[in-house]
Amino acid sequence: MQPVNLPKKRELYDVFANILVCVFAVANLFPLYWLFTSSLKNSSDVIKMPPDWWPRTFTFANYTEVFRNQPALRWTFNSLYVAGLTTLLVVIASAMAAYAFSKLRFKGRNVIFIVFVSSMMVPKEVMIVPLFRITQDLGLVNSVYGMIWPNVAIAFGVFLLKGFFDSAPDALREAARIDGAGEVRTFLQILLPIVKPGIGALFILNFVQVWNDYLWQLVVGQEKESKTLMVGIATLMQDLNPNFAYKMAGATVAAVPMLLIFILFQGYFTRGISIGAVKE
Amino acid sequence: MKLLRNQTWKENVTGYLFIMPQLVLFLIFIVYPIIEGIRLSLYKVQYQQETFVGFQNYSTLFHDPVFFKSIVNTIIFVVFIVILTVGFALFVSSAVFDKNAKYVSFIRGSYYIPVMVSMVVMSMVWGFLLNPANGLISYAAREMNLSTFNLLGNKNTVLPVVIFVTFATNVGQAIILYIASMIGVPKDLFEAAEVDGASRVQVIFQILIPLVKPTTIYITIINIIAVLKIFVVIQMLTGGGPNNATVTMMYYLYNNAFKYNQLGVASAVGVIMFIITLLLSVPQLRAMFKER
């Protein structure tokens, strides 16, 4: 802020570019607006042309129908359980590993870390056939645990948290050792509280990622009752029921939890997503 | 001496114990599937019976016109979606990054919300909007007397539509990354350019874009890999059709594995995709390790 330059003239390009950015931003949200408003229309209004841009009659009948015709509550519970437990396990396993890679000296440390990080780039979907057969052999098809374990194996959390452990000073650890704290206590009571922001970011990012992990959950959850919300709701699109308002109500049910998470934790996303990128 | 060796031995064991849970899961659910996938790609699999067939699955693949179609489509998707994503995200981020924080977070949010609600939900909405009988877009197309209103049923329009839907849903992530990296560019660089009388467009092209190049590389690679496994939008919007016009490698793999029960062939597709992603991620990995 230099007062000398004020009032600064905005360049024409800047003005136009920002107007366009705003127009596109609103346009980009239009499909979601259409989703919500359509879900509140009745079965004939929803396909009326020319359309009602704002619902004339509000009805929640589509929502009650989704929960009555489909085990949507069960699906929601499955999704919460899968996303919650996966994330909890990811945080535990990757915090331990990241601590070791950052602070402990052991043979093969660098090689193992490089292998972990390299594996992050390969989507598990390309190995879906052998992965499914293992899941089958372990008896985990149609089980939430079949959806959980393969996602815990992904090393993204190790990579993310190692950066946070690296920035915690080694002196802290040494001080704890001199006070006679063992490795486990040093980890749990001294280092873990310091990397809390990293754990927060990992928790949110991973929860969303698992919640939206469609293909693997589609393959594992084959029985109606064992589906997750995303997979279950997606079946509504093929449902014989021609009422689009009903389908849109289902999609809204699947969208709302993620919207809430985003609104509540926006800061974590911005930080968490950027951490994975190369720093300048 | 003995004490020292005891010390390093203890450090080693502690280290291994700490990485043990992650390592075990990694071996079972990542390393083993890769090895098993390569093995299966050399076998004909019928239920519990496996017969070694060498490279027959691969030669089957390369004689299947649908597989070729899936490669071509996947390449088309990757090229267009990545170019659109990088170009548009650069445009948006360079326009807003130096504005006030509230505005930046509003723009970031608007573009990121579709990413959050996921491709499944967005595909459902787009499926409704594009529905030939009662979708809003089909209605608009009819009102404007366009030659086709069934945009998903026409093989000339279906690719651009899928490209657009995927791009519009996922561009928010690139925007978040670019804004973060542009905010990190030192302010004095812009001030110096301003003193020299550079216009904003010049500043963007000559200072900003070169300086965020590492971010561009990162965004390009993660998007290539993400589009390479494009599946949800295909399954939900087109089912690979019309007439295989939108079959992708992942969709082809999925159908072979879980519909046609061709596990060997599906594994071979997986191995090919695995090699491609591995090659693509080399520059990114090199950049990550150079930092250390």
Side-chain angles (χ1 to χ4, degrees), chain A residues 76-87:
Chain A
T76 312
F77 173 78
N78 286 346
S79 274
L80 285 172
Y81 190 81
V82 170
L85 189 56
T86 305
T87 306

Side-chain angles (χ1 to χ4, degrees), chain B residues 39-90:
Chain B
R39 189 186 70 81
L40 280 175
S41 78
L42 304 172
Y43 280 78
K44 189 174 172 64
V45 187
Q46 279 162 322
Y47 303 99
Q48 293 307 314
Q49 202 185 338
E50 295 171 0
T51 339
F52 183 79
V53 292
F55 286 95
Q56 198 190 304
N57 290 325
Y58 292 91
S59 80
T60 312
L61 276 181
F62 287 104
H63 286 99
D64 181 359
V66 180
F67 181 62
F68 268 102
K69 189 88 199 159
S70 81
I71 294 180
V72 172
N73 286 338
T74 305
I75 293 172
I76 292 175
F77 285 135
V78 167
V79 169
F80 283 95
I81 293 170
V82 170
I83 290 175
L84 273 172
T85 303
V86 170
F88 186 75
L90 269 174

Side-chain angles (χ1 to χ4, degrees), chain B residues 270-282:
Chain B
V271 171
I272 293 169
M273 292 179 74
F274 170 70
I275 293 169
I276 297 173
T277 47
L278 212 57
L279 290 176
L280 283 172
S281 51
V282 168

Side-chain angles (χ1 to χ4, degrees), chain A residues 55-99:
Chain A
R56 275 185 318 131
T57 49
F58 281 89
T59 166
F60 285 96
N62 303 308
Y63 288 91
T64 41
E65 212 180 322
V66 167
F67 282 94
R68 209 178 37 219
N69 294 357
Q70 309 289 342
L73 264 180
R74 173 85 215 177
W75 294 342
T76 312
F77 173 78
N78 286 346
S79 274
L80 285 172
Y81 190 81
V82 170
L85 189 56
T86 305
T87 306
L88 191 68
L89 293 168
V90 162
V91 167
I92 294 170
S94 50
M96 286 173 65
Y99 172 73

